[in-house]
Amino acid sequence: MSKILLVPIIFFFFLSPVYLLAQVDVNDGEKKEEEVKYPQYQLKGLLQARYLESFGDNVDVLGMHHSTGDPTQSSFDIKRMRVGLNTKLSKETEVVILVNLADFKSDTKGKVLENAYGKYTFNKYIALTGGQFRPAFGIEELVPVDIIKSFDFSNQYYEFGKNGWTSFQIGASATGTFDIGKIPVNYAVSVLNGNGKNVEMDKDNGKQYSTRWVFELSKEHKINLGLNGGYGRVFKEKVFAVGVDFTSDFKLTDKLSFDLQIEYKQGTNHNLYFSLPAENRVGDVSNYQMRGIYFLPNLRYMVNYKKLTAFEVSCRYETFDPSYKVNSNVRQTYTPMISLEFGKAYTGRIELGFEIDRFDRNVPDTSTYNDELFLIQLQLRL
């Protein structure tokens, strides 16, 4: 067996607590369940339709600055039109497929197909996933975009996705849960190509290894502490990523609740480094590091009046620097939002608010430019 194949296998099984815990059969002594017929199918869907209006100085609705011409500053848009199928082949085996049909409105290369993976669950301690999926590395990886408390994922989420740690990646993962004393712990260990979705093969022989550990500190208030770490090689250069996050949800009254998300990440921006001509790079890849933090508080009031279920108010604040050691240019983003929920679990949702960007330094004719974008979004999910 070659060294290239041996390293991922050792990492995949050695770091996870499989052999310490997988020997326990959690079904021992339980009553036999009624016979269930397989396969089982569950169809899922999501529509996000938007009206956008940019109030930035010569900035279009996609955030691009135009020093000449007449940019489009108001437009209707289909952000997402997702169709997914979850298939249970047996109690232990499932196959998940998810496509975003809205990607057909532009160049489809590397787009459209999002989830395409199989998962086998041995017990609560260990499940194996392989294919194209979202590896666990932070809060946002575990939350579908249709139930997040803001219009979209954070800037850091997308930038770390470009660097192979978040968003849809191809590889394999082991996940599970166990207890340390009275504290429930969820873990994930992943091995990834690290060059995004819908690609024929890895861009090099290097792999990216990541892990996430979540400690449930309070079940009553849903207080969770997450720790994330990753290491790998890209074109023979060493790269890394780390992160820490915190979530909580406090019930203030019978109808009013307050939840909070805080997440910090830092890592090598090798995507930026290798995108530059060799003569324009400053030092080696270790000089190109990104870091960011965001706070997302959300107030939720249960209305339950006719078809209106709940009313929510949130405002995410994020600061992110794609290269804080070389040519630093911090981006601060404010996203105040009001949301009306209809039905259960965000079956229907109407959101309105702003995405306000402020950069330390504007760069003309790029998306690195101050902007104020007004949004109204209609969301329907199946």
Side-chain angles (χ1 to χ4, degrees):
M1 182 180 295
S2 68
K3 293 182 179 179
I4 295 174
L5 293 176
L6 184 60
V7 173
I9 293 174
I10 293 174
F11 177 90
F12 190 79
F13 291 103
F14 183 71
L15 286 186
S16 61
V18 177
Y19 299 109
L20 295 177
L21 300 167
Q23 304 302 320
V24 181
D25 186 354
V26 295
N27 293 319
D28 283 349
E30 292 184 1
K31 295 180 179 179
K32 291 185 178 180
E33 297 181 4
E34 295 181 5
E35 184 178 353
V36 179
K37 293 183 179 181
Y38 294 99
Q40 297 178 346
Y41 303 96
Q42 182 182 19
L43 183 66
K44 294 186 176 183
L46 169 67
L47 169 67
Q48 288 182 336
R50 293 177 161 186
Y51 171 75
L52 309 171
E53 185 163 353
S54 173
F55 292 94
D57 185 16
N58 294 318
V59 178
D60 65 26
V61 293
L62 298 180
M64 180 68 68
H65 175 259
H66 299 260
S67 57
T68 60
D70 188 16
T72 300
Q73 293 194 294
S74 65
S75 179
F76 289 97
D77 177 48
I78 302 297
K79 178 65 175 178
R80 292 178 178 89
M81 179 61 235
R82 283 178 166 172
V83 178
L85 180 65
N86 290 18
T87 304
K88 292 279 290 185
L89 301 180
S90 66
K91 181 181 178 181
E92 300 84 7
T93 310
E94 61 182 299
V95 176
V96 178
I97 299 173
L98 177 66
V99 297
N100 183 13
L101 301 180
D103 283 338
F104 281 107
K105 65 188 177 185
S106 60
D107 183 5
T108 59
K109 185 178 180 180
K111 299 180 181 179
V112 185
L113 182 63
E114 297 186 332
N115 277 329
Y117 66 85
K119 182 177 181 180
Y120 188 89
T121 302
F122 293 92
N123 48 50
K124 76 171 188 176
Y125 301 109
I126 175 67
L128 300 180
T129 300
Q132 183 169 289
F133 57 95
R134 295 170 65 195
F137 197 87
I139 300 171
E140 295 173 295
E141 288 301 313
L142 306 177
V143 180
V145 71
D146 42 323
I147 62 172
I148 61 175
K149 307 298 183 178
S150 195
F151 287 109
D152 208 340
F153 295 122
S154 64
N155 299 322
Q156 65 169 250
Y157 171 83
Y158 286 109
E159 202 65 36
F160 275 78
K162 293 176 185 177
N163 285 274
W165 303 110
T166 62
S167 192
F168 300 98
Q169 304 291 334
I170 299 175
S173 182
T175 57
T177 182
F178 59 93
D179 295 334
I180 297 179
K182 296 183 179 180
I183 300 178
V185 178
N186 292 282
Y187 77 90
V189 181
S190 303
V191 184
L192 310 167
N193 283 342
N195 54 321
K197 60 185 180 181
N198 303 334
V199 291
E200 289 183 320
M201 60 182 180
D202 194 0
K203 60 182 178 294
D204 57 7
N205 288 319
K207 294 295 179 286
Q208 292 177 220
Y209 314 95
S210 65
T211 185
R212 173 171 173 79
W213 298 79
V214 180
F215 302 87
E216 186 181 305
L217 305 182
S218 171
K219 186 174 183 180
E220 179 183 0
H221 301 300
K222 298 181 180 179
I223 298 176
N224 295 317
L225 174 66
L227 303 176
N228 312 277
Y231 174 83
R233 285 185 180 271
V234 178
F235 297 117
K236 299 183 180 180
E237 297 284 353
K238 295 178 181 179
V239 299
F240 82 96
V242 294
V244 59
D245 51 76
F246 171 87
T247 59
S248 65
D249 191 348
F250 288 83
K251 191 171 183 179
L252 305 179
T253 67
D254 289 340
K255 293 187 175 183
L256 184 64
S257 62
F258 173 78
D259 59 89
L260 175 66
Q261 296 178 9
I262 304 173
E263 184 165 10
Y264 172 85
K265 282 196 183 82
Q266 179 177 333
T268 311
N269 195 340
H270 51 271
N271 179 67
L272 172 61
Y273 175 80
F274 288 112
S275 70
L276 297 173
E279 62 272 16
N280 293 343
R281 298 170 187 168
V282 179
D284 59 22
V285 69
S286 64
N287 284 338
Y288 290 81
Q289 292 189 28
M290 53 187 171
R291 64 181 178 187
I293 187 171
Y294 73 81
F295 302 84
L296 178 52
N298 181 73
L299 272 173
R300 177 178 176 86
Y301 183 77
M302 298 298 297
V303 178
N304 292 325
Y305 177 73
K306 295 186 177 180
K307 295 184 178 181
L308 180 62
T309 304
F311 175 81
E312 291 188 349
V313 178
S314 69
C315 184
R316 181 172 63 202
Y317 168 74
E318 179 179 10
T319 176
F320 181 77
D321 194 336
S323 180
Y324 69 89
K325 289 187 174 183
V326 177
N327 198 28
S328 173
N329 192 4
V330 176
R331 176 183 185 180
Q332 297 185 75
T333 303
Y334 305 83
T335 312
M337 188 183 83
I338 296 174
S339 173
L340 301 176
E341 178 188 350
F342 300 90
K344 295 181 179 180
Y346 293 151
T347 300
R349 198 179 186 192
I350 298 175
E351 306 155 298
L352 67 157
F354 283 88
E355 289 181 351
I356 303 168
D357 279 323
R358 290 293 181 267
F359 293 88
D360 284 352
R361 183 179 66 261
N362 284 331
V363 181
D365 296 311
T366 72
S367 58
T368 306
Y369 208 91
N370 293 345
D371 183 31
E372 301 89 34
L373 181 67
F374 173 70
L375 302 93
I376 299 177
Q377 179 168 282
L378 169 65
Q379 173 178 295
L380 301 171
R381 67 194 298 258
L382 176 65

